[in-house]
Amino acid sequence: MFTPSMFKGHKIQQSGAWRWISSISGRSSSAGVMVNRETAFAQSAVQACVTLLAESVAQLPCELYRRGKNGQRERATDHPLYDLIHNQPNKKDTIFEFNEQKQGYLGVDGNSYSLIERDGSGYVTELIPVNPKKIQVLKGPDGLPYYNLLDHNEIVPMHMMHHVKAFSFDGFVGVSPLQTNADVIGLSIAVDRHASQVFANGTTMSGVIERPSDVKPIESQEKVDAILNKWREKHSGIRNAFSVALLQEGMTYKQLAMDNEKAQLLESRQYGVIEVCRLYKVPPHMIQSLDKATFSNIEHQGLQFVIYTLLPWLKRHEAAMMRDLLLPSERKDLYIEFNVSGLLRGDQKARYESYAIGRQWGWLSVNDIRRMENLTPISGGDTYLTPLNMIDTSMLTGIKKATPSQIKEIETILCRN
């Protein structure tokens, strides 16, 4: 066991093969904006992408399966780990809250850490999430990661920490879009701040009333205010839409349109949303950016989100749990898997058509279909159908070896007439 005396505070003593490899949590972008967890998460697009992924992972049931003979499997509900990953990982958090927090940390920090409590037999009894800001990752002399708990000034080995990491350059710590793409997020933050300043300090008018230069100017401000107030009273609001105005003394009304600078500002803000979606591989319509969305292929886009965005994250979680939570002797017979069948299902018509094909061709029973629809089994529902217009090719061998009398009988029938 490694003790805090081997290190000096938060700075790791570079003796032997020890090396601190934790990455920084934020940096200044080219737009002059500091990008860290707090400033980035204040962006609606970043928050929407991170929470969408976190909630999508958290809503899926996590199961512990036992491999059986002939490719069969069953839920290992008798194993101590089953209740922990399926229902409640610790005394405080529900499994939804725990998985939501894990994926949220991955989306923002690129790493998720949970302390592992074990009993005397080595089985996991509790998983306690830890803020990534309070962890320093160390590379030990044996080439394995160790974790410095900053609040407790204690170092724990790999078997006491459940670590899920995003894409990594060194294999020890993951990187997040906040670190690798700070300029993209920083530009989006800068554009939003500039837009706020425009509306806070700028002047925006819908139109102006002009008077000829050769007309005697209005003497007092009170009269000017009276004219403008009367104009607003007569011609502003929904009730006065399409009303007809009469101007005197050569006055003309000139409507002001949005200038090009403000129009480009709106386009820049929308471009920032698209860039954030690209970083997290989230379709823009899933975070309510519907400017160019069409609903003709919305189901297909949803399946693409599950396959190309969500599944890689789930595989990271599954692989890390297999490594950290199962004993080496158990991995041959046990495995952990998120159930995504509910997300991969199509609409009702498509599902029923696929069930009909599976039932007619013999690889689905009535109870198989009912289980996929979350219905209770029925009596006699475990039988499988066999199409009557097809037979096994091995049954044709008897026909190929016809007796001489059968062949002569066939020739007599064919020679008639």
Side-chain angles (χ1 to χ4, degrees):
M1 180 65 183
F2 295 87
T3 61
S5 60
M6 299 178 62
F7 303 93
K8 295 182 178 180
H10 295 173
K11 291 185 178 180
I12 305 305
Q13 187 178 6
Q14 300 292 334
S15 61
W18 286 94
R19 186 161 59 94
W20 173 27
I21 56 176
S22 296
S23 54
I24 60 176
S25 59
R27 69 176 180 87
S28 180
S29 65
S30 299
V33 178
M34 174 59 70
V35 178
N36 53 34
R37 179 196 294 179
E38 288 73 22
T39 58
F41 209 65
Q43 289 293 108
S44 61
V46 175
Q47 183 183 18
C49 289
V50 172
T51 55
L52 173 67
L53 291 172
E55 293 168 353
S56 298
V57 171
Q59 69 176 318
L60 299 176
C62 186
E63 305 282 358
L64 178 66
Y65 291 103
R66 180 177 287 108
R67 294 183 178 91
K69 297 180 179 179
N70 301 322
Q72 297 176 347
R73 67 176 185 176
E74 61 178 5
R75 289 184 175 89
T77 56
D78 57 334
H79 195 281
L81 185 62
Y82 183 88
D83 184 67
L84 189 140
I85 66 172
H86 188 269
N87 297 317
Q88 191 168 0
N90 54 63
K91 297 177 181 179
K92 178 178 69 71
D93 300 316
T94 65
I95 192 61
F96 184 96
E97 295 167 342
F98 178 74
N99 286 334
E100 181 184 39
Q101 191 176 34
K102 281 176 59 180
Q103 180 59 43
Y105 280 142
L106 283 170
V108 176
D109 297 291
N111 296 274
S112 169
Y113 304 98
S114 301
L115 281 171
I116 302 175
E117 292 285 344
R118 300 180 185 270
D119 60 16
S121 302
Y123 292 110
V124 180
T125 59
E126 200 168 11
L127 291 172
I128 304 172
V130 183
N131 192 325
K133 285 187 173 182
K134 300 180 180 180
I135 296 287
Q136 285 180 345
V137 182
L138 314 171
K139 183 178 180 180
D142 54 0
L144 296 177
Y146 292 81
Y147 304 91
N148 185 21
L149 307 179
L150 300 181
D151 284 353
H152 304 280
N153 197 24
E154 181 181 356
I155 296 175
V156 297
M158 182 179 174
H159 74 271
M160 294 179 62
M161 183 69 70
H162 173 44
H163 181 194
V164 186
K165 55 182 175 289
F167 176 81
S168 175
F169 290 110
D170 54 20
F172 285 84
V173 291
V175 294
S176 73
L178 275 62
Q179 299 169 350
T180 57
N181 300 91
D183 290 342
V184 173
I185 300 176
L187 180 60
S188 181
I189 296 173
V191 170
D192 282 356
R193 290 182 180 178
H194 176 67
S196 300
Q197 292 298 319
V198 168
F199 286 101
N201 302 319
T203 302
T204 304
M205 298 180 293
S206 60
V208 295
I209 299 176
E210 297 179 345
R211 300 176 76 246
S213 58
D214 56 349
V215 177
K216 182 180 179 181
I218 300 175
E219 299 176 354
S220 64
Q221 184 64 36
E222 289 77 8
K223 292 184 179 180
V224 174
D225 293 340
I227 295 174
L228 295 178
N229 291 335
K230 198 66 176 178
W231 178 267
R232 284 193 295 267
E233 178 185 346
K234 291 289 187 181
H235 304 290
S236 64
I238 298 177
R239 294 180 179 274
N240 298 320
F242 307 107
S243 61
V244 179
L246 175 63
L247 296 175
Q248 302 181 20
E249 301 178 358
M251 295 181 182
T252 59
Y253 177 76
K254 183 178 181 180
Q255 185 174 357
L256 297 181
M258 180 176 289
D259 54 66
N260 292 330
E261 179 184 357
K262 293 186 179 61
Q264 293 295 325
L265 183 61
L266 294 178
E267 292 179 2
S268 298
R269 295 189 70 197
Q270 180 60 28
Y271 177 75
V273 173
I274 301 300
E275 285 294 287
V276 171
C277 289
R278 183 177 289 116
L279 294 181
Y280 288 97
K281 295 189 292 185
V282 171
H285 75 274
M286 298 195 73
I287 63 167
Q288 310 306 315
S289 180
L290 304 175
D291 293 349
K292 298 181 180 180
T294 60
F295 294 94
S296 59
N297 60 346
I298 198 71
E299 180 185 346
H300 182 67
Q301 292 180 17
L303 293 177
Q304 282 189 320
F305 168 74
V306 175
I307 297 172
Y308 299 111
T309 303
L310 193 58
L311 277 181
W313 287 113
L314 296 177
K315 293 303 178 183
R316 292 181 189 275
H317 287 282
E318 292 169 357
M321 285 190 288
M322 289 279 292
R323 178 196 63 202
D324 300 334
L325 307 184
L326 288 176
L327 299 177
S329 59
E330 296 177 321
R331 294 171 193 159
K332 294 181 180 180
D333 300 323
L334 299 173
Y335 65 96
I336 299 170
E337 187 177 279
F338 283 90
N339 187 356
V340 297
S341 59
L343 297 179
L344 294 173
R345 296 193 308 174
D347 56 23
Q348 188 178 51
K349 182 175 182 294
R351 295 202 313 274
Y352 285 6
E353 288 176 349
S354 64
Y355 293 155
I357 295 174
R359 176 67 173 147
Q360 292 167 6
W361 287 90
W363 67 76
L364 287 179
S365 68
V366 171
N367 284 340
D368 290 337
I369 298 172
R370 292 180 66 85
R371 276 191 291 269
M372 287 186 284
E373 289 293 315
N374 293 321
L375 299 174
T376 57
I378 61 174
S379 177
D382 292 322
T383 59
Y384 294 86
L385 301 179
T386 301
L388 295 179
N389 60 338
M390 293 184 294
I391 60 175
D392 192 341
T393 54
S394 62
M395 299 176 62
L396 298 176
T397 56
I399 298 178
K400 294 179 181 178
K401 298 179 180 179
T403 62
S405 60
Q406 290 174 333
I407 295 175
K408 185 176 181 179
E409 183 178 357
I410 292 173
E411 290 177 347
T412 303
I413 295 174
L414 293 177
C415 293
R416 290 176 181 175
N417 302 327

